[in-house]
Amino acid sequence: MLRVLLLFLILLAGIILGPMLAGHQGYVLIQTDNYNIETSVTAMIIILVLVFVALLIIEWILRRIFRTGYYTRGWFIGRKRSHASKQTKAALIKLAEGDFKQVEKLLTCNADHAEQPMVNYLLAAEAAQQRGDERRTNQYLERAAEVADTNQLPVDITRVRIQLAQGQIHAARHGVDRLLGQASQHPEVLRLAEQAFVSTGAHNALLDILPTMKKMRLHSEAEIKTLELQAYIGIMNQCMAEEGSEGLKRWWQSQPGKIRRESALQAALVEHLIECDDHQIAQQIILTGLKRQYDERLISLMPLLKSEDAKSLEKSLRLQIKQQGATPLLNSTLGQLLLKQGEWEQASEAFRAALQQRPDGHDYALLADTLDKLHRPKDAAEVRHQGLLLTLKKNAL
């Protein structure tokens, strides 16, 4: 527009000034070594205007030529993008069908011209992994990393997910540690970390991320509790394997009071101590735990103890019966303790009380053993028969 305006002003000036200078045009002399060019001022102005117009025309022609090349190049690029979009949509359909070979082919055909090339390569990597082609999987991951530029988080997440699927547990653990440094509250990073830590036995690391997982609501309260118990049991196994019951006791004493008051952890520790043949400390933990709160897991472990102070266990049980009522578990456990102490008559009464509340094959067998001790073989045979009928009935169901 500026050039057209300038040309218009020049023409306007020529129209106005031309008649004024008609009788006083003067001349213009251009002198070189061999030539002298002489013309009037008006003619010189007209020549300059014509040259300027010619330059404008040449510029317009050149611009059209180059713009045609640009449009042509854009048409080819747009065509490739359109094909890439169609192939990506077709790949997603094949992915739903489970045809991973076609998924891989469609996603990579025009991946560089797709709307999100990185996504295409990552999905192709997962498709290749599903086919078991590790070489192509790595190729696609490398290409995804190239086109991702600075946004490497999706690539790293996909790489760790594939490593876990391929069983490369320690490589995945290394990748998870890096991911937690980059995005410690990313939901998928936390899920992958959980898998890697469970697989590698990194129990303390799992405990470290559980509060964040709980905050992000990745699992229910019950599932978080299960994972927590699983991690603590894993730590107990390590302590027991390395240092036996002494290692277990030291680790337990080093835990905060909140942890030591957890009944599920107390029961797990008692099981480990019994396995280490440390029945005295196991009994102390059971009795201390039951003083704080009633827990059936601790009650059910009492018969496994080789106790030198069975009266303390019996006293604790009778107190629980007084407080909780005579439940089948309490009666059965009391009967087993009395049986170990040789209190045959009282043991038989406890077993009968438990059986009246709920039939149980194990209690029938123990009652029969008690009746044998009391030299009542007919009663013992009858009880065993009842226990056998109960077992057959349960098996039939």
Side-chain angles (χ1 to χ4, degrees), residues 299-316:
I299 298 292
S300 63
L301 289 170
M302 282 185 173
L304 302 178
L305 294 172
K306 298 176 183 177
S307 177
E308 297 178 357
D309 185 14
K311 288 295 181 183
S312 296
L313 292 174
E314 181 185 345
K315 181 180 178 181
S316 176

Side-chain angles (χ1 to χ4, degrees), residues 153 156-157 160-161 175-197 209 213 218:
L153 184 61
D156 293 337
I157 288 175
V160 171
R161 188 188 300 116
V176 158
D177 289 338
R178 282 175 39 195
L179 285 171
L180 287 172
Q182 299 172 30
S184 60
Q185 294 190 351
H186 192 289
E188 184 62 13
V189 170
L190 290 170
R191 292 189 190 97
L192 294 173
E194 176 194 335
Q195 293 180 48
F197 293 156
I209 66 171
M213 295 180 71
L218 297 181

Side-chain angles (χ1 to χ4, degrees), residues 7 21 36 42 53 55 61 83 232 247 262 266 294 341 353 360 382 390:
L7 178 59
L21 298 174
N36 289 333
T42 303
V53 170
L55 290 174
I61 293 171
H83 283 174
Y232 279 118
E262 285 283 341
Q266 291 172 351
Y294 174 76
Q341 296 176 58
D360 180 79
E382 177 61 27
L390 178 64

Side-chain angles (χ1 to χ4, degrees), residues 5 38 45 124 137 199 231 277 345 368:
L5 180 61
E38 184 177 342
I45 292 173
T137 298
S199 300
D277 203 30
E345 192 63 45

Side-chain angles (χ1 to χ4, degrees), residues 4 22 108 123 130 137 149-150 175 194 222 229 231 251 271 303 308 317 322 352 368 374 377:
V4 173
T108 56
L123 289 174
Q130 289 289 342
T137 298
D149 197 18
T150 58
E194 176 194 335
L229 179 60
W251 172 80
E271 290 178 350
E308 297 178 357
L317 267 179
K322 184 178 179 180
R352 288 187 187 279
L374 292 169

Side-chain angles (χ1 to χ4, degrees), residues 29 41 55 125 229 272 275 279 281 291 293 341 372 387 395:
L29 175 64
V41 173
L55 290 174
L229 179 60
H272 283 76
E275 189 176 347
H279 295 270
I281 300 300
K291 285 180 181 178
Q293 61 181 335
Q341 296 176 58
D372 282 335
N395 290 338

Side-chain angles (χ1 to χ4, degrees), residues 227-241:
L227 284 170
E228 185 179 58
L229 179 60
Q230 181 181 345
Y232 279 118
I233 290 175
I235 293 172
M236 291 179 194
N237 288 333
Q238 290 176 347
C239 291
M240 185 174 70

